[in-house]
Amino acid sequence: MSGANAAYSSYSKLDYESGVGKPDIRDTPEVPLRRNYDMCMVFRYKTSKAVRYEEQSNELLFNRTLAEPSQKERNEMQMWKQQREAILKSLQNCRLHIFCYYSRDSDEIIVKIGAPAQKLRDTAARMKYKLQLK
């Protein structure tokens, strides 16, 4: 196998594993180190950090007491949930990688979004993207 083919096969392996390859593969000079996530989105989860919404009793930290939301707040949070799930499902259907986690106060959901390198290459080729060089 020639050097160019070896570099391509290592790079393809990283693409399929979402950039999480063996450390010895990622550190080779043929394979550039790449971020797994390129963008971040923040979604509202609760109207306030003091309001209870979908928490289980074992998830409450330090036995803090959370107030029950009013019907208006509950409807608003339910609407946010439906919109958030629709957007995340659309991102997944586009074969983008997403990683979700709660904010420190658990009143927002932070979503990291990324694309595999091969998808970026294919999209750039389809758009005939002109790469600006220095």
Side-chain angles (χ1 to χ4, degrees):
M1 184 180 278
S2 70
N5 289 340
Y8 178 73
S9 64
S10 297
Y11 202 72
S12 296
K13 183 174 183 179
L14 280 175
D15 289 342
Y16 290 121
E17 294 177 2
S18 300
V20 183
K22 297 178 182 176
D24 56 327
I25 293 173
R26 288 187 70 135
D27 293 337
T28 60
E30 297 105 14
V31 180
L33 189 59
R34 178 176 184 285
R35 272 187 244 115
N36 290 332
Y37 302 102
D38 304 308
M39 187 177 148
C40 180
M41 293 177 77
V42 179
F43 294 97
R44 296 288 309 264
Y45 175 62
K46 297 192 303 186
T47 55
S48 167
K49 65 181 180 180
V51 173
R52 176 187 300 258
Y53 183 68
E54 297 183 340
E55 280 96 0
Q56 303 296 325
S57 60
N58 59 353
E59 291 178 352
L60 298 175
L61 300 175
F62 306 112
N63 295 327
R64 61 184 179 157
T65 56
L66 298 176
E68 290 296 322
S70 67
Q71 189 61 36
K72 180 182 175 188
E73 289 175 324
R74 186 178 305 278
N75 291 341
E76 187 175 29
M77 290 185 288
Q78 189 66 32
M79 182 186 64
W80 289 343
K81 180 180 179 180
Q82 291 172 351
Q83 292 173 344
R84 179 177 61 248
E85 288 176 349
I87 291 170
L88 294 179
K89 183 54 84 177
S90 295
L91 292 173
Q92 286 178 327
N93 289 341
C94 294
R95 301 223 166 113
L96 295 175
H97 300 157
I98 61 172
F99 178 72
C100 304
Y101 58 96
Y102 292 104
S103 66
R104 185 182 67 142
D105 294 332
S106 297
D107 61 342
E108 295 174 328
I109 295 179
I110 300 163
V111 181
K112 291 182 177 182
I113 305 167
Q118 186 62 45
K119 181 168 182 65
L120 295 175
R121 275 191 231 107
D122 293 343
T123 303
R126 187 173 56 247
M127 294 173 49
K128 297 179 182 172
Y129 183 77
K130 302 286 187 213
L131 183 63
Q132 182 178 357
L133 301 175
K134 290 184 178 182

